[in-house]
Amino acid sequence: MQLATCRTGKTFILYDADSVCDAEPAPQIGPPLFDPAHWHRCGKVLGEAPGRGSSLFLDAGREQWVLRPYRRGGLIARLSESRYLWTGLERTRAFRELRLTAHLHREGLPVPRPVAASVTRCGPTYTAALITVRIPEAGALAERLAEAEPALLERVGATIRRFHQAGLDHVDLNARNLLIDADGCVWLIDLDRCRLRAPGAWQEANLARLARSLVKFGAPTAAMETIRRGYASDDAG
């Protein structure tokens, strides 16, 4: 993985040269790469993911990409849905998330391979977007809870334990951010605002957040207990 940075006007782009070269044809690095309208005009939009950000699934040739614009939620979205306060390029949410994802990917952890991040400065604010490789034939754990077998839930717990051992504090650990692929492997997505930390109370807070998510999505009562069993297993490392 080779991360590089380029600038076009007010737009800064951090990208993985290897991922971009894998696309067919290899796209030009620039603002259009992050413009949904550009992909629609090219007829390369394959679908859209649920959620506030309206992520798009893109045809990038030999693989598919996910284009996710950064969107605010809650009350602050009434002031601005897509603008964030500028405090420096490397502190922008997109650059931080891409660098963190790249680090975890290099460590062999199951995260999508990062492609590129875009930040466009607008005076004291900025807008941003992120592109990652789409995990083939993967669906959210939230969609499989009703029929999820104990072995799968234990793998979910073991996977979370791996990330915790690597120091990842996932601030939005929920059943939509855990994906299951066709082989039953577990992946973790959406690392916005996440960070690496020393072991602490945040690990239990992550699990508690996931437990609340399972209740929200109607998981069987024993689901979280099974996930915790996998988390505590000696096989988790």
Side-chain angles (χ1 to χ4, degrees):
M1 185 173 296
Q2 304 177 56
L3 296 184
T5 306
C6 68
R7 179 178 181 179
T8 304
K10 297 181 179 180
T11 299
F12 303 84
I13 297 173
L14 177 65
Y15 64 97
D16 172 33
D18 294 333
S19 294
V20 172
C21 288
D22 283 343
E24 294 181 352
Q28 181 177 355
I29 301 298
L33 192 64
F34 302 88
D35 182 5
H38 164 75
W39 290 96
H40 279 290
R41 286 193 299 270
C42 295
K44 298 291 188 179
V45 176
L46 303 174
E48 185 173 320
R52 181 175 68 247
S54 298
S55 299
L56 297 181
F57 300 133
L58 309 175
D59 179 2
R62 284 177 288 185
E63 59 190 11
Q64 294 180 19
W65 289 352
V66 181
L67 168 59
R68 191 184 89 225
Y70 284 78
R71 293 287 184 266
R72 287 186 178 278
L75 294 176
I76 198 168
R78 298 180 181 179
L79 298 176
S80 177
E81 185 183 52
S82 60
R83 291 184 182 271
Y84 298 84
L85 181 65
W86 177 271
T87 57
L89 182 59
E90 288 297 333
R91 298 185 67 182
T92 59
R93 292 169 76 152
F95 270 44
R96 291 176 67 179
E97 182 172 359
L98 188 136
R99 290 196 186 280
L100 176 59
T101 305
H103 168 78
L104 295 172
H105 187 271
R106 286 192 295 264
E107 292 295 310
L109 289 160
V111 295
R113 193 169 89 239
V115 176
S118 169
V119 172
T120 300
R121 187 174 182 181
C122 314
T125 64
Y126 70 91
T127 58
L130 183 76
I131 298 176
T132 56
V133 174
R134 186 182 184 185
I135 301 165
E137 300 181 68
L141 174 65
E143 300 166 357
R144 299 187 54 172
L145 286 171
E147 72 279 0
E149 298 180 354
L152 171 59
L153 296 176
E154 289 183 1
R155 286 198 299 277
V156 168
T159 300
I160 295 170
R161 172 76 174 276
R162 288 181 61 198
F163 280 100
H164 280 181
Q165 289 174 332
L168 180 71
D169 177 7
H170 196 296
V171 297
D172 191 19
L173 188 63
N174 65 66
R176 285 203 180 278
N177 287 335
L178 288 158
L179 301 187
I180 314 299
D181 67 17
D183 296 322
C185 296
V186 182
W187 299 75
L188 187 59
I189 64 170
D190 194 357
L191 304 181
D192 182 26
R193 298 180 295 115
C194 300
R195 55 178 174 162
L196 299 177
R197 306 179 65 182
W202 59 267
Q203 295 165 302
E204 180 57 35
N206 282 184
L207 294 172
R209 187 177 184 87
L210 177 59
R212 293 192 296 271
S213 170
L214 296 184
V215 172
K216 175 183 175 181
F217 288 110
T221 305
M224 191 62 206
E225 179 181 337
T226 307
I227 289 174
R228 283 185 176 276
R229 186 164 63 244
Y231 183 89
S233 170
D234 290 337
D235 297 330

